[in-house]
Amino acid sequence: MATSTTKAPARRGALLHRLDIKGAPYVFVAPFFVVFAAFSFYPLVYTSWISLHDVELATLDVMEWVAFDNYVDLWGDSRFWNALRNTITIGVISTVPQLMMALGLAHLLNYRMRASLFFRVASLVPYATSVAAAALVFTMIFERDFGMINWALGSVGIDPVDWEADKWPAQVAISTIVIWRWTGYNALLYLAAMQAIPADRYEAASLDGASRWQQFTHVTVPGIRSTIVFTIVLSTIGATQLFGEPLIFGQGPNGVTGGADNQYQTLGLLLYEEGWKNYQMGRSATVAWAMFLLLVLVFVVQRLTKRLRSRTS
Amino acid sequence: MTTQSLPARTDSPDRTPAARAGRPAGRRLLRQRAGRQHHAGPLAYVLLAVMAVLSIFPLYWTMVAASTDNTRVSQTPPPFLPGPNLFSNLARAWDEAAMGKAMVNSLIVAGVIALSTVMFATLAGFAFAKLRFKGRNALLMLVIGTMLVPPQLGVVPLFMMMAELGWSQQLPAVIFPTLVSAVGVFFMRQYLSEALPDELVEAGRVDGAHSLRIFWSIVLPVARPAMAVLFMITFVHAWNDFFWPFVVLDMTNPTVPVALTQLSAGYVRDQSLIMAGALLGTLPLLAMFIVFGRQIVSGIMAGAVKG
């Protein structure tokens, strides 16, 4: 770093300079931490405090201490277990195909070709679409009586599917929206990582007689492993919070129940229903905590399996 | 749009001497690295074309449905070609979903959030990349750690906070919690560590410039391409953000995604109208993608975890 150049300029200047060197970095990073502390960290911690109280939406300043009642109620509430199951199943059927397709797409985009920019931009177009718009369009495409999917199925002799009322079709339809919006985005993350793999690894592999498929599984996939882990983490967080897609698929703002039988109500929807339909903010905060625990659990399991796998190999 | 200020794909051999002198190293970071891949065969083109169609078709069909009338949409087979009613449906959606107000709101929200995110991310990114201070690594780890905290978990207290501040149903309730972004800080740090030579910063110090001055006249010019990219990505996210605006805003003062939910809320669903609304809400971002597609693509790729 810069040393003070001469002793001549007044001591005040040197002091200011030292102050600047020492203090400026903190001033520069401060806005981030201040905003984060006020609007993210503090609410996060405060959630746990609220979850130990009864708080009504209409009277937010009246908090009645109920200890762990909300947690006990939630544990005994079949809607909670249903929402937890739905969150997990929709999470799996949206994340797994999404990341696998993204991997394939990235591999294709990694070829040297004409119009590569067009294909990259095209695969990113869904990312520019809001949850709201995408969910509205797909709700129509999956419509029972005149929707395009049922029409296409009908034209090959398959009976129409009631995509909204039946559990698994509804969950598949909702996952389709998620997959559509995020596959291209993940593919670009993979593509970036693939392009950072040194060429000599491929050369070595082909010298060893590896086929293109073997090169893909033995060089490409291991080469972008940290990116894959990164996208798994991101999609898991996204899946835990799933909200807009099932809400709008269930007919707009009235869709917080996640279908007539709650067949696709997620934890995100339940959180909203408890707080803003049933006016129980304390219980809503308890659902938020359940989501947090679910995330922690997923990452612990992920770490454990990773450790186990590295031990066995 | 000129390519001058952009992270262009200059494959010129600017790696060695010039790279140390400033921008080119940063461009290299944002640039898609080409070469040494296999050439695509016909099968790859076919598969990619299928993917492109799947990506674009729902949006094309939104336009088709928005341009027909309601009875035509509900017939089988569904229409595949645009009809004559596009502009009348767009006008209806504009009125019934308060789209004018929603667009202005979204523009304000996304614009302010993108500006402040870029500004604070560049400041913090510069500090993390080039300045030395105690606790730097710990603080950087903290920034990265905050990426793992889903905003939904704090939504109940945040809502109470906004009620207390008197911001319920007001735009500041949407803007303030999102003024900064950890991803943005990390992105700028990565960019500036490569693109900004230490020598430049030191030269500024020797000339007696204080830190803010160095930031203003040395860092900002170097950071500009990355700032543009970060602005666009943040803008897209803020424009599309749904959960929190839906919770804290109501239909009298919505952003675009919140207004769109209103369209589908009725018992009699006017499908052409709904699709017209969806199209309206998507058009501004689509236009941005068509103009700045390359920059957004390279920005997302530059933000990826390599290797």
Side-chain angles (χ1 to χ4, degrees), chain B residues 91-225:
Chain B
R92 264 190 328 134
W94 184 272
D95 292 337
E96 287 189 31
M99 268 304 199
K101 177 147 206 188
M103 290 259 195
V104 172
N105 281 347
S106 279
L107 206 64
I108 295 171
V109 166
V112 171
I113 288 175
L115 271 180
S116 92
T117 298
V118 168
M119 192 174 75
F120 292 137
T122 313
L123 269 175
F126 166 53
F128 280 125
K130 296 292 163 181
L131 301 180
R132 273 170 224 167
F133 54 102
K134 261 191 200 141
R136 180 172 81 163
N137 291 336
L139 287 176
L140 186 62
M141 286 313 290
L142 201 59
V143 171
I144 295 169
T146 62
M147 289 187 209
L148 298 176
V149 179
Q152 250 182 25
L153 301 185
V155 74
V156 173
L158 200 58
F159 185 82
M160 294 163 75
M161 233 162 116
M162 293 309 163
E164 217 158 281
L165 289 165
W167 285 349
S168 300
Q169 282 102 50
Q170 306 288 322
L171 297 187
V174 178
I175 294 172
F176 272 86
T178 339
L179 279 177
V180 296
S181 123
V183 181
V185 172
F186 188 68
F187 176 77
M188 289 309 303
R189 182 211 169 248
Q190 297 301 86
Y191 182 83
L192 286 174
S193 329
E194 270 206 40
L196 180 67
D198 290 340
E199 292 85 348
L200 266 186
V201 179
E202 275 159 36
R205 293 257 185 245
V206 170
D207 289 347
H210 52 81
S211 300
L212 199 61
R213 167 100 210 167
I214 290 175
F215 176 75
W216 189 258
S217 24
I218 298 175
V219 180
L220 276 191
V222 173
R224 202 168 292 145

Side-chain angles (χ1 to χ4, degrees), chain A residues 20 25-26 36 43 47 110 112-114 120 125 127 130 137 140 148 151 180 192 195 223 226-227 241 291, chain B residues 32-33 36-38 40 45 54-55 59 61-62 73 77 133-134 152-153 157 211 237 240 271 301 305 307:
Chain A
D20 177 52
Y26 297 104
F36 182 81
T47 297
N110 200 20
R112 194 189 299 204
M113 73 183 120
R114 285 168 183 282
R120 286 174 197 189
V125 160
Y127 163 81
S130 69
V137 179
M140 242 186 118
M148 189 166 297
W151 169 75
W180 181 73
Q195 296 190 338
S226 54
T227 309
Q241 303 190 80
M291 287 168 70
Chain B
Q32 298 126 17
R33 294 212 308 197
R36 75 199 179 193
Q37 305 109 312
H38 296 295
Y45 279 104
L54 287 178
S55 286
L59 292 178
W61 195 74
T62 307
V73 170
F133 54 102
K134 261 191 200 141
Q152 250 182 25
L153 301 185
S211 300
H237 274 280
N240 287 338
Q271 303 286 8
M301 288 178 62
V305 187

Side-chain angles (χ1 to χ4, degrees), chain A residues 120-136:
Chain A
R120 286 174 197 189
V121 174
S123 55
L124 204 56
V125 160
Y127 163 81
T129 318
S130 69
V131 182
L136 289 173

Side-chain angles (χ1 to χ4, degrees), chain A residues 18-36:
Chain A
R18 274 239 310 280
L19 211 66
D20 177 52
I21 293 282
K22 291 257 184 217
Y26 297 104
V27 177
F28 288 177
V29 301
F32 173 83
F33 288 103
V34 170
V35 175
F36 182 81

Side-chain angles (χ1 to χ4, degrees), chain A residues 1-2 5 17 20-21 24-26 28-29 31-33 35-36 38-40 42-44 46-47 50 55 57 60 63 101 105 108-114 116-133 136-141 143 145-146 148 151 180-183 185 188-189 191-193 195-199 212 215 223-227 230 233 237 240-241 243-244 247-248 251-254 268 271-272 276 281 284-285 288 291-292 295, chain B residues 9 32-33 35-40 44-45 47-49 51-52 54-59 61-62 65 73-78 80 120 123-124 126-128 130-135 139 142-143 146-163 167 176-177 179-182 185 205-206 209-212 215 233 236-237 240 242-243 246-247 251 257 260-262 264-265 269 271 274-275 278 282 285-286 289 293-294 296-297 300-301 304-307:
Chain A
M1 291 266 80
T5 39
H17 180 73
D20 177 52
I21 293 282
Y26 297 104
F28 288 177
V29 301
F32 173 83
F33 288 103
V35 175
F36 182 81
F39 295 106
S40 297
Y42 165 72
L44 186 72
Y46 199 39
T47 297
I50 294 172
V55 193
L57 181 62
L60 286 176
M63 291 175 58
M101 281 165 61
L105 180 58
L108 291 173
L109 289 171
N110 200 20
Y111 282 125
R112 194 189 299 204
M113 73 183 120
R114 285 168 183 282
S116 71
L117 183 66
F118 166 77
F119 287 121
R120 286 174 197 189
V121 174
S123 55
L124 204 56
V125 160
Y127 163 81
T129 318
S130 69
V131 182
L136 289 173
V137 179
F138 276 91
T139 304
M140 242 186 118
I141 290 177
E143 221 278 339
D145 297 319
F146 57 82
M148 189 166 297
W151 169 75
W180 181 73
R181 281 189 70 221
W182 292 107
T183 299
Y185 181 85
L188 287 187
L189 298 188
L191 177 60
Q195 296 190 338
I197 298 175
R212 280 217 189 164
Q215 288 183 27
I224 64 170
R225 228 174 86 182
S226 54
T227 309
F230 177 70
V233 170
I237 293 174
T240 315
Q241 303 190 80
F243 177 77
L247 178 91
I248 293 165
Q251 320 282 292
N254 309 319
L271 183 153
Y272 184 80
W276 284 270
M281 306 306 273
S284 184
M291 287 168 70
F292 180 63
L295 266 181
Chain B
R9 290 222 244 158
Q32 298 126 17
R33 294 212 308 197
R36 75 199 179 193
Q37 305 109 312
H38 296 295
H39 280 276
Y45 279 104
L47 288 173
L48 279 171
M51 290 297 293
L54 287 178
S55 286
I56 294 168
F57 182 77
L59 292 178
W61 195 74
T62 307
V73 170
S74 326
Q75 283 166 357
T76 42
F80 284 97
F120 292 137
L123 269 175
F126 166 53
F128 280 125
K130 296 292 163 181
L131 301 180
R132 273 170 224 167
F133 54 102
K134 261 191 200 141
L139 287 176
L142 201 59
V143 171
T146 62
M147 289 187 209
L148 298 176
V149 179
Q152 250 182 25
L153 301 185
V155 74
V156 173
L158 200 58
F159 185 82
M160 294 163 75
M161 233 162 116
M162 293 309 163
W167 285 349
F176 272 86
L179 279 177
V180 296
S181 123
V185 172
R205 293 257 185 245
V206 170
H210 52 81
S211 300
L212 199 61
F215 176 75
I233 293 173
V236 172
H237 274 280
N240 287 338
F242 183 66
F243 179 74
F246 179 78
V247 169
M251 288 307 161
L260 288 183
T261 61
Q262 179 65 10
S264 68
R269 311 186 88 210
Q271 303 286 8
I274 296 174
M275 289 301 103
T282 311
L285 290 194
L286 268 190
F289 258 64
R294 165 185 300 210
I296 298 175
V297 163
I300 287 172
M301 288 178 62
V305 187
K306 306 265 168 77

